[in-house]
Amino acid sequence: MSLFAMGFLLVILQPSSGQFPRACANTQSLLRKECCPLWDGDGSPCGELSRRGSCQNILLSQAPLGPQFPFSGVDDREDWPSVFYNRTCKCEGNFMGFNCGECKFGFSGLNCTERQLKTRRNIFQLTTSEKDKFLAYLNLAKSTPNQDYVIATGTYTQMNNGSNPMFRNINVYDLFVWMHYYASRDTLLGGSNVWRDIDFAHEAPGFLPWHRVFLLMWEREIQKITGDENFTIPYWDWRDAEDCAVCTDEYMGGRHPTNPNLLSPASFFSSWQVICTRSEEYNSQQALCNATSEGPILRNPGNNDKSRTPRLPSSAEVEFCLSLTQYESGSMDKMANYSFRNTLEGFADPRTAISNISQSGLHNALHIYMNGSMSQVQGSANDPIFVLHHAFVDSIFEQWLRRHRPMLEVYPAANAPIGHNRENYMVPFIPLYRNGEFFKSSRELGYDYEYLQEPALNSFQEFLIPYLEQARQIWVWLVGAAVIGGIVTALLKGLILACRKKRKGTSSEIQPLLIESEDYNNISYQSNF
């Protein structure tokens, strides 16, 4: 696309829209650019009367972005959520939520002071009743209208800059399908033009933190509609799997007896309808997915293009990926080499960590292997295997965090693709979350994985961990400083002894006053590190 064409498109394009709290999906909130709903507990915005939070201006990151998106002011997702709101609730302490009515991940109780740690388990380790309960919860989410959120059915421009709100209800499960679509959709540039090299949830540093938040929010919504506060997402450990072990009617749906692209009618997932799978149609109409049903889930595991994905990932490939010390590198996109994130996401070879977009490894391999709804990025969350898969991907991310214990500064602060810098807010979440806030151990967020569990640390050990990690990273300098300090100490001691010998030969009449000998033992020489 020429620079002239880009400049022309900046004038005619229409921005896209995002996911909204129901309480803010109205003309007044949009025109005021304010989303600070009342908290039912005290009837004040953001629970301010109870000191839970307050309505404040949004502080946007000013860090420079990478070159992948050459536009500015053409997409509603830029500087999220400022196109729609520039004031939202800022919650205090352990409070969280679009109205500060909930607790942060990892906390519970009336005042959000009680720490909690829940365990995500291997789906094949669940009892029959636990597995059946999980499947029933999925089906309930698919049929239960979301009470807190709605989706936009028109762009901000089509809403006449907020004076003509365009929203619709959506069920709990499909809300998350829609959010995944929205974060990864193309930018509409007017006419039939789109910009495809943009994704706020993939192909860049935010891939792992974004999906971590996605799963945490999904988990919490299930807890709300079921009343089961102990619910956690199970994971599927697909390392060294020879086939799709969860693709049975007992679990996530078997193969249809006559049509290999459909699910078995014995599985209730066969009756599910997908949404947001027709990206080219939306692009040609310069429209958003409006969550209209688009047919059944498609899945034909193993009958994929073997030249791209010959098999499911191996334990050795996962282990090699975990050995990579750099979280991100180079261009910080799908062309990055020796990047843990890019290798785990699947754009780099899991045996060399060199970018190879003609192949699909690790995370991407699973999506391609499923050969159906899972294989198209924007609509991939339609298949419920998505949550099992991403829970395991998150566990690999967690292993890397525990093994390498990176400081927050390891996550890129600038020059990442749009939406992926450390301080950028994740699209399209409200309440607002920054990428860097989820670049930390899952245990700090209230959950662990069954196969990663370690003995609980006491508070003193947890306090020491970051300082010990800093010491580990500079141990070479510490050793060097100690050596130099020892040499300096030896030299000074030699000088002192020499001076003392010299003074013994001096007449007492002309000797200066000296400190007592024991005072010399109290003199210490420390090197400054």
Side-chain angles (χ1 to χ4, degrees):
M1 184 180 294
S2 69
L3 292 176
F4 174 79
M6 286 184 186
F8 176 70
L9 289 171
L10 293 179
V11 178
I12 65 172
L13 58 87
Q14 295 180 340
S16 53
S17 58
Q19 151 263 357
F20 299 83
R22 185 182 298 275
C24 300
N26 55 69
T27 302
Q28 182 179 15
S29 295
L30 290 171
L31 292 180
R32 294 178 60 186
K33 284 185 170 290
E34 183 174 289
C35 184
C36 296
L38 305 180
W39 176 53
D40 291 339
D42 63 13
S44 67
C46 312
E48 186 168 12
L49 293 179
S50 301
R51 297 184 178 179
R52 297 177 77 95
S54 58
C55 191
Q56 296 190 17
N57 292 334
I58 294 170
L59 298 178
L60 297 173
S61 171
Q62 300 301 312
L65 302 172
Q68 294 85 353
F69 188 67
F71 303 100
S72 178
V74 303
D75 191 313
D76 287 355
R77 299 170 295 180
E78 296 177 58
D79 289 327
W80 178 261
S82 61
V83 168
F84 302 101
Y85 310 112
N86 52 34
R87 286 173 62 81
T88 61
C89 288
K90 179 175 173 52
C91 305
E92 301 297 334
N94 296 329
F95 298 116
M96 190 185 79
F98 58 79
N99 62 355
C100 301
E102 299 181 2
C103 297
K104 281 184 177 179
F105 300 120
F107 291 88
S108 62
L110 187 63
N111 295 311
C112 301
T113 55
E114 301 169 19
R115 274 198 169 275
Q116 56 181 198
L117 185 65
K118 300 173 183 177
T119 302
R120 292 179 180 173
R121 300 168 58 199
N122 188 320
I123 191 168
F124 293 117
Q125 299 300 318
L126 302 181
T127 65
T128 300
S129 62
E130 289 170 335
K131 179 261 299 177
D132 290 343
K133 182 169 67 174
F134 168 63
L135 299 180
Y137 285 178
L138 285 171
N139 217 30
L140 180 64
K142 188 73 170 177
S143 59
T144 302
N146 193 289
Q147 298 299 310
D148 294 325
Y149 292 100
V150 293
I151 64 168
T153 58
T155 66
Y156 187 67
T157 299
Q158 290 166 347
M159 293 185 196
N160 196 20
N161 298 337
S163 63
N164 180 36
M166 299 170 66
F167 301 97
R168 67 168 290 181
N169 294 325
I170 193 167
N171 67 60
V172 171
Y173 189 94
D174 284 350
L175 171 69
F176 288 87
V177 177
W178 195 91
M179 287 196 293
H180 190 265
Y181 145 81
Y182 177 76
S184 56
R185 66 185 299 275
D186 302 329
T187 294
L188 305 179
L189 296 176
S192 60
N193 297 295
V194 297
W195 186 264
R196 300 181 189 276
D197 192 12
I198 184 171
D199 195 315
F200 290 83
H202 305 87
E203 303 180 13
F207 166 67
L208 293 166
W210 191 97
H211 285 84
R212 173 164 281 194
V213 174
F214 179 90
L215 292 179
L216 282 167
M217 291 185 68
W218 192 90
E219 210 165 48
R220 180 162 289 188
E221 287 300 307
I222 298 295
Q223 293 165 359
K224 287 181 185 177
I225 64 173
T226 63
D228 183 355
E229 294 184 357
N230 295 315
F231 168 77
T232 56
I233 299 170
Y235 59 86
W236 172 31
D237 184 348
W238 33 251
R239 290 174 296 183
D240 303 315
E242 296 182 359
D243 54 24
C244 181
V246 296
C247 296
T248 66
D249 289 337
E250 182 182 359
Y251 288 94
M252 312 308 291
R255 198 186 301 271
H256 193 282
T258 60
N259 187 337
N261 294 314
L262 298 178
L263 301 186
S264 164
S267 168
F268 54 65
F269 294 124
S270 66
S271 65
W272 279 26
Q273 291 285 302
V274 301
I275 64 171
C276 302
T277 62
R278 300 174 180 171
S279 57
E280 293 307 315
E281 180 179 316
Y282 315 142
N283 287 347
S284 65
Q285 297 174 357
Q286 294 288 291
L288 304 180
C289 164
N290 62 8
T292 299
S293 297
E294 296 173 350
I297 293 174
L298 301 178
R299 188 197 301 155
N300 191 349
N303 290 323
N304 56 288
D305 180 359
K306 295 297 194 298
S307 66
R308 184 176 188 86
T309 305
R311 54 172 172 73
L312 291 171
S314 69
S315 297
E317 290 171 337
V318 172
E319 183 56 35
F320 173 78
C321 182
L322 286 167
S323 73
L324 299 172
T325 58
Q326 296 184 83
Y327 178 76
E328 198 54 90
S329 67
S331 57
M332 296 184 279
D333 56 17
K334 60 186 177 183
M335 302 305 295
N337 296 322
Y338 308 112
S339 155
F340 165 74
R341 186 276 314 162
N342 202 37
T343 304
L344 177 54
E345 188 168 0
F347 293 108
D349 191 310
R351 296 161 298 181
T352 65
I354 301 298
S355 173
N356 183 358
I357 59 176
S358 68
Q359 300 288 303
S360 294
L362 297 181
H363 157 266
N364 287 350
L366 248 291
H367 283 279
I368 299 300
Y369 178 87
M370 289 302 163
N371 195 30
S373 301
M374 274 271 283
S375 305
Q376 190 258 355
V377 176
Q378 295 176 16
S380 59
N382 278 293
D383 191 326
I385 289 178
F386 180 95
V387 293
L388 304 179
H389 170 43
H390 272 275
F392 189 63
V393 171
D394 184 73
S395 78
I396 298 173
F397 176 36
E398 181 61 22
Q399 283 190 74
W400 187 86
L401 289 171
R402 295 185 190 184
R403 180 177 300 189
H404 300 281
R405 295 190 180 278
M407 305 298 288
L408 176 59
E409 289 73 21
V410 168
Y411 189 99
N415 301 313
I418 185 170
H420 289 266
N421 283 339
R422 186 193 308 156
E423 297 302 315
N424 286 149
Y425 290 118
M426 299 184 192
V427 175
F429 303 131
I430 298 178
L432 304 178
Y433 305 112
R434 297 185 191 272
N435 290 306
E437 293 173 9
F438 293 83
F439 191 70
K440 60 185 176 183
S441 173
S442 67
R443 287 175 294 193
E444 296 183 50
L445 299 169
Y447 71 99
D448 200 352
Y449 287 95
E450 188 174 41
Y451 80 107
L452 298 180
Q453 284 183 324
E454 301 170 359
L457 299 174
N458 60 41
S459 58
F460 181 68
Q461 286 175 305
E462 290 180 342
F463 171 77
L464 283 179
I465 281 175
Y467 299 100
L468 292 173
E469 175 59 21
Q470 289 183 49
R472 183 187 69 81
Q473 294 179 7
I474 63 171
W475 72 272
V476 174
W477 302 104
L478 291 173
V479 170
V483 171
I484 294 172
I487 294 171
V488 171
T489 300
L491 290 172
L492 290 174
K493 186 175 181 180
L495 289 172
I496 291 171
L497 290 174
C499 290
R500 292 181 67 181
K501 289 180 179 179
K502 184 176 180 180
R503 285 165 181 161
K504 284 181 180 179
T506 305
S507 169
S508 59
E509 288 80 6
I510 61 173
Q511 284 184 21
L513 294 175
L514 299 176
I515 60 176
E516 296 295 328
S517 60
E518 61 264 26
D519 289 336
Y520 277 106
N521 297 326
N522 295 328
I523 297 176
S524 64
Y525 298 93
Q526 298 178 353
S527 58
N528 295 317
F529 295 162

